[in-house]
Amino acid sequence: MKALFSATALALLPVTALAAPSDILFILDGSGSMWGQIDNVAKIESAKSTMLKLMDEVPADARIGLMTYGTQSKNSCQDVSVLNAIGSDRGAIKTSIGALRPLGKTPIEKSLVEGIATLAGKEPADVAKSLVLISDGIETCDGDPCAIAAKATDTGVALKVHVVGFNVDDEARNQLECIAKAGGGKYFDAADTNGFTSAMQAVVEVAQAESAPKPVAEEPAGPVVTEFFRDDFDGETLGEVWRVDHASEDNFIVDDGFLTVLSTTFGDFASSEPQNLFTYTGELPKGDWDMEIIYTGEYTTGADRLTMGLRKDQQNYLATGYLGILTGTGCQKTEMRLTKMSKGTADTRNVPFRGTSARGQCYHGFPLENEDWAAVTADHQNKPIKLTLSKRGRDYTSSVELLGFTDADGNPYVRETEKYTSLRAPGVPAFNVDRAKKNYVEGEVLMNIDSFVINKVE
C-alpha cells in the first residue's frame, strides 16, 4: 500500500514540477497475459491508452525510448525488441505503442540486460537515466532479473531501475519489488486502470526529479571505458565492416536481432580454412581495448565452441575460446581457453568455469566445486555468455561471464586467464563457431550472437 500511496500523491503534481533533463527507457510488457481484462477492458489497451497520453505530458527535455518483449514469438525467450531508441520523436513512439500486439513470454532478465546496456552507453553520461519496467507478471524464461537489475548501479552512470506492476499477484509483486530495490529504484503497484495511470505519472515524476551526481574528483578513479564499435546485428545482413572467410552461406543468417551461426565442422583459428570466419575489417582503438561478444547456444553436441580473437593466419593468432557443456567418459565441464599461436607453436591457458568431478576424472579447479550438472546445463540454455579479450599494453587476457548468474556471495561470476605478451599485434579481430572435437561427436552447433563490441580503455 505504501508504494501505491506514494504514486497517487506524486500524481497530483504537474509532470513538469520537478523536471530535470533525463533519459527514460520504457519496457512495456507485450506478453500474452496482457490480453487479460480489468473492468471488461484488456490490460494492454489500458496501458497503451495511458502511455499515449503520457507521451504528450513528459517534459520536452526528457529523451524517451521504448522497448517491449513477447510481441514477435509465442514461445521465444529471446523475443526482446528496441522499438524506439533513446531520444526518438514522440510521434514515432506513439505509433509503436499503438501497433503493439501482445503474444508470447515474459523474458524480463533479457530485457533488463539490453535496457541497462542501452542506457549506460548513451551520451551524455552525466544525465540521470531511468529504466522503467511495466509488467503484469513474473519472469517466465527461468531468468534472474533481480541479479541483472543490481548491475544498474555498477554502470558508472546515474542509472536506476523503476518498476510498475499492473494487476499482479503476490508472487509477481515480490519479484518486481525485488527488481526495483536491486536496481536502486522504486516500485509502484497498480491494481486497476486508474491506479496504473497514477503509477505511470508517478514514475515519470521520480525519473525527472533525479539529477545525476556531479563527479567528486577531477580525475577518474579507474579506467575510462568508451564504446568504440558495436554491432547488435539488428538488420537483415552483415554490416560492411564484416568479411566472411571460407563462407558457407547456408550456415549463418542475420535475423531477429541475432547473427545465428550453425556448424557441423571441426576447425577453429588453427584450421587452414575455418568455416564462416567472421573477420572485422574496421579499425581498432589505439592503446588499450576490450573486445567482447555476447551469445547464447543450444549446446547439444558436447563439443560446442565459439572462438574470438586476433588472427593473422593458421600459424599466428591469439584467441580466446569458450567451450560449453563438454562431456566425456569421466568428466562434465565448461571451460575457457586462451591460446597464443606464434609461427606454428601454440601455448594454451585453460580456465575451468563450471563443472563436476563427481565421476572422478575431471581435473580439479572448479571454483564452485561440484555443481549439479542438470543446473549447469539449464543455466547455459537460458543465460547469455559474455566472452572478452582484453589488451593492456602488450599484454592480453581473456575473461568469461555467465550473465544473470552469481556466486554464493551474489557477485557476478567472472573467470579470467593469466596474461600472454605479444610484442606485435598477432592479427585482426575475428570469430567463428565450430565443433571442438573431430571424432566421436554428432549433431549441430548452434550459436545466437547478440552483440560484438569493441571498447576503448584509457
Side-chain angles (χ1 to χ4, degrees):
M1 249 348 246
K2 181 178 180 182
L4 184 57
F5 175 80
S6 299
T8 305
L10 276 171
L12 298 177
L13 298 172
V15 172
T16 57
L18 301 174
S22 62
D23 291 339
I24 306 174
L25 181 57
F26 292 97
I27 303 177
L28 179 56
D29 191 337
S31 64
S33 61
M34 287 291 283
W35 287 116
Q37 296 194 348
I38 302 176
D39 298 329
N40 297 319
V41 178
K43 285 183 280 186
I44 186 59
E45 297 302 333
S46 298
K48 287 162 64 172
S49 177
T50 297
M51 290 285 289
L52 288 170
K53 184 178 179 181
L54 195 67
M55 291 303 105
D56 295 326
E57 297 178 351
V58 177
D61 59 357
R63 300 188 302 179
I64 299 176
L66 178 66
M67 294 176 59
T68 189
Y69 54 76
T71 61
Q72 305 298 316
S73 169
K74 190 172 183 180
N75 299 308
S76 175
C77 285
Q78 306 299 322
D79 183 7
V80 175
S81 304
V82 178
L83 301 180
N84 301 94
I86 295 291
S88 293
D89 176 76
R90 302 289 173 88
I93 298 175
K94 291 169 72 174
T95 298
S96 296
I97 293 171
L100 196 149
R101 294 291 181 270
L103 178 63
K105 292 192 172 186
T106 308
I108 295 177
E109 177 188 283
K110 182 170 175 57
S111 69
L112 292 178
V113 168
E114 296 194 16
I116 291 171
T118 297
L119 281 170
K122 187 67 177 177
E123 296 290 343
D126 59 351
V127 170
K129 301 174 188 296
S130 296
L131 186 64
V132 179
L133 170 67
I134 303 154
S135 178
D136 77 333
I138 199 168
E139 163 82 41
T140 60
C141 287
D142 297 323
D144 188 355
C146 285
I148 294 297
K151 296 187 177 185
T153 58
D154 298 325
T155 57
V157 298
L159 196 166
K160 293 185 178 181
V161 180
H162 305 293
V163 183
V164 175
F166 189 13
N167 188 233
V168 298
D169 59 22
D170 289 342
E171 181 184 14
R173 184 179 296 107
N174 289 338
Q175 185 182 78
L176 297 176
E177 286 180 340
C178 173
I179 293 169
K181 182 178 179 181
K186 296 183 182 296
Y187 173 75
F188 301 90
D189 196 69
D192 53 27
T193 301
N194 290 335
F196 181 73
T197 300
S198 298
M200 291 305 299
Q201 291 176 329
V203 76
V204 171
E205 285 288 351
V206 170
Q208 287 291 99
E210 296 169 342
S211 58
K214 297 186 181 298
V216 176
E218 293 184 1
E219 295 296 329
V224 176
V225 179
T226 306
E227 188 172 282
F228 183 82
F229 171 81
R230 169 182 286 272
D231 194 339
D232 291 315
F233 304 106
D234 288 332
E236 296 180 353
T237 59
L238 284 172
E240 294 181 356
V241 299
W242 293 107
R243 183 183 76 239
V244 185
D245 299 323
H246 317 299
S248 174
E249 295 186 356
D250 290 339
N251 287 338
F252 72 90
I253 187 172
V254 180
D255 185 47
D256 199 25
F258 293 96
L259 168 60
T260 299
V261 184
L262 185 71
S263 178
T264 56
T265 64
F266 166 75
D268 61 353
F269 282 20
S271 171
S272 60
E273 296 184 353
Q275 186 184 87
N276 289 332
L277 180 69
F278 298 92
T279 301
Y280 170 75
T281 63
E283 296 183 350
L284 278 171
K286 294 181 179 180
D288 297 341
W289 47 257
D290 292 332
M291 181 165 61
E292 66 181 41
I293 194 166
I294 295 177
Y295 66 96
T296 53
E298 290 192 353
Y299 303 107
T300 57
T301 74
D304 309 79
R305 176 169 61 183
L306 185 144
T307 302
M308 175 187 71
L310 302 174
R311 186 180 190 272
K312 180 180 179 181
D313 52 38
Q314 179 183 11
Q315 294 189 327
N316 298 276
Y317 60 82
L318 195 148
T320 181
Y322 183 72
L323 289 85
I325 315 299
L326 280 169
T327 58
T329 56
C331 186
Q332 296 170 313
K333 63 181 178 180
T334 64
E335 67 180 22
M336 173 180 59
R337 296 175 181 174
L338 180 63
T339 299
K340 179 182 178 181
M341 176 76 79
S342 180
K343 296 181 179 180
T345 300
D347 194 76
T348 298
R349 300 190 187 278
N350 292 321
V351 175
F353 190 59
R354 299 181 68 182
T356 174
S357 56
R359 297 168 70 178
Q361 296 183 35
C362 270
Y363 56 79
H364 297 289
F366 296 111
L368 302 182
E369 299 180 352
N370 293 330
E371 295 189 82
D372 177 72
W373 190 242
V376 175
T377 302
D379 280 344
H380 276 72
Q381 294 287 347
N382 293 290
K383 293 179 173 61
I385 282 288
K386 181 168 77 170
L387 186 64
T388 304
L389 179 68
S390 299
K391 176 183 179 292
R392 299 292 185 269
R394 292 189 173 96
D395 296 334
Y396 295 83
T397 60
S398 64
S399 64
V400 62
E401 178 181 2
L402 185 61
L403 300 180
F405 179 78
T406 59
D407 62 18
D409 297 324
N411 300 312
Y413 184 57
V414 182
R415 294 280 284 156
E416 185 174 346
T417 66
E418 295 294 327
K419 69 179 183 179
Y420 276 120
T421 299
S422 182
L423 301 183
R424 296 180 179 83
V428 296
F431 65 88
N432 84 311
V433 171
D434 81 314
R435 204 163 58 185
K437 295 180 181 180
K438 188 173 184 178
N439 300 317
Y440 312 112
V441 177
E442 297 179 348
E444 299 174 327
V445 176
L446 182 66
M447 301 289 187
N448 291 309
I449 298 164
D450 186 56
S451 63
F452 177 90
V453 178
I454 299 172
N455 291 317
K456 180 177 176 60
V457 180
E458 298 178 289

